[in-house]
Amino acid sequence: MAAKTLSKEQFQTFTDNLIAAGRVVGVKRKENKFAFGDLTSASELTLDYDVTLRSPRVFFQPPTEELISFTTGDTTTAAATIPATEPFVLLGVHTYDLIALNQMDRIWNEDNADQNYEARRKAATVIALEPIKASKWSFWASMGATKVEKGFDLLLTDIGGKYVIEIGTEAGKKLISAHAADAKEASADDLAARDRVRKELPSYCKADRKVNASVEELPTLIKSNYENPIWEKNAEKCYSCGACNLVCPTCYCFDVHDDIELDLKHGTRTRTWDGCLLEAFAHVGSGENFREHRGDRFRHRIFRKTVYMPEKINELACVGCGRCSEVCLPDITDPVKIINTIKEGN
C-alpha cells in the first residue's frame, strides 16, 4: 500500500482541516484517563495514550437504539428506524481495537446484515494508530493483536518527529489529497523506521502481562478445563455487574423490548446492550434461567472469548485491551491470570 508522511506539526494542521470539513471523533484526555469524543480543535487530540475508557464499539452499536416504531389497532403498521448518520472521521483507533471492529463487521453482516450497524459503519472513515504505549493491564501482544492488515482508511505509525501514514482505501487517499497538501511520499528511510517501530510494539506490554499459552493453543486449553474449579472460585467474588461485558470491544450481545405508549396504539421496539455476566441474561419467558449460577456465567464469558467465537469465526474474541481487568472491582476477570492459572495446573 502507498504511504505518506506528515510531520507532527503538519498533522495538527491536517486534523484542524478535517474538523473544519465535518465531524471528527478523536481521543481526548479526561484527567488521567482517555476517551473518544468530538473534537473542536486539534489541540484536544491525544495520540500518545495507552487505552481509552471505552472502545469505538459505541459509535457503531450504541447502548440504546430504536429499531422499529409501530401502531396497533384495526390496522397494524411497523416501520424500521434506520439511523440518520452523518459522515465522520474516527481518529486514533489503536490496532487492537480495530481488530475488534473488524470482527464486529463480520458478525453484524453475517446472514441478515444489520442495517443500523451497516449505516453507521459506512458513515465512518477510520484513521487507525499503532500504539506508542500500553496500559498496566494491556496484553495485546499475547493475543496477536499488535498489527492490523485491514479495516483502516489510514494507519498512522509514530516514527519520532513525524507519522508514516499508510493508505488503506480510496477514501483514505481522498482524505489526504483534500486535507494534507503538504504530505510527502514515504522514503525508504521512513519505511525502515516504521518497520523498526513495529518490531518494538510487543515489548510495550509489561512482562507480567504475558499469557503463557499461544493463540493457537488457547481454544483447546480452555475447552478441556470446563470443570476447572477456577470458575466457581472466582465467581464467589463476582458482583454480576456486567462491567467487563460493557467495556469489551468484542462483546455485542443485546436485549430487545417493546414499549407501548399510554394510548395503547403506538409503540417502539428498542435494542439495548446486554451482558452474559448479568443474572437475567439467560432468563427466558418460561421462567427458566439457563445460567442461574454465577460460576456458569463467569465460565461462559471466558469460553465465549476463547472457544465459542474461534469456532464461529476462527479468531479469538479477546484482543488484550485489558479494559475488563481494569474495571473489575474484585479483580477476578483478568484473562491473563485466569489463563495462566489454568495453564500452570495442566
Side-chain angles (χ1 to χ4, degrees), residues 35 40 95 134 158 169 185 190 197 202 213 227 237 285-286 292 307:
T40 59
T95 47
D158 187 336
T169 65
E185 295 291 333
D190 293 328
V197 168
E227 301 296 342
K237 298 179 180 179
S286 65
E292 181 179 3
V307 179

Side-chain angles (χ1 to χ4, degrees), residues 203-242:
S203 68
Y204 297 168
C205 293
K206 296 176 173 55
D208 63 355
R209 300 301 294 161
K210 184 179 187 315
V211 174
N212 297 327
S214 68
V215 168
E216 295 75 19
E217 178 188 2
L218 272 174
T220 301
L221 174 67
I222 300 302
K223 193 172 185 178
S224 65
N225 278 272
Y226 191 84
E227 301 296 342
N228 195 297
I230 193 172
W231 314 122
E232 289 293 340
K233 180 180 178 182
N234 282 25
E236 289 175 358
K237 298 179 180 179
C238 181
Y239 295 150
S240 296
C241 66

Side-chain angles (χ1 to χ4, degrees), residues 258-334:
D258 291 344
D259 295 304
I260 308 294
E261 294 182 15
L262 291 175
D263 63 8
L264 302 182
K265 294 181 180 180
H266 300 85
T268 56
R269 175 164 292 176
T270 303
R271 175 164 63 193
T272 58
W273 284 5
D274 206 350
C276 59
L277 266 293
L278 300 175
E279 186 174 356
F281 180 78
H283 189 242
V284 296
S286 65
E288 179 68 27
N289 191 332
F290 293 98
R291 281 192 291 274
E292 181 179 3
H293 301 290
R294 282 180 298 175
D296 294 339
R297 299 196 296 274
F298 190 90
R299 175 177 57 201
H300 175 79
R301 173 177 170 267
I302 298 297
F303 265 66
R304 188 261 181 194
K305 303 294 181 188
T306 60
V307 179
Y308 304 144
M309 290 304 290
E311 290 175 348
K312 182 178 178 67
I313 63 172
N314 200 33
E315 291 181 32
L316 290 173
C318 176
V319 294
C321 67
R323 292 183 178 96
C324 61
S325 309
E326 184 173 6
V327 300
C328 183
L329 293 178
D331 190 21
I332 55 171
T333 62
D334 183 9

Side-chain angles (χ1 to χ4, degrees), residues 103-139:
Q103 284 189 15
M104 294 302 98
D105 289 348
R106 292 181 61 183
I107 294 299
W108 287 96
N109 283 287
E110 274 191 337
D111 304 321
N112 296 314
D114 189 275
Q115 293 176 301
N116 293 39
Y117 180 91
E118 187 177 30
R120 295 186 179 96
R121 190 66 177 89
K122 285 182 177 179
T125 300
V126 177
I127 302 179
L129 169 70
E130 292 180 330
I132 66 169
K133 63 176 68 169
S135 78
K136 63 176 288 188
W137 297 104
S138 295
F139 59 101

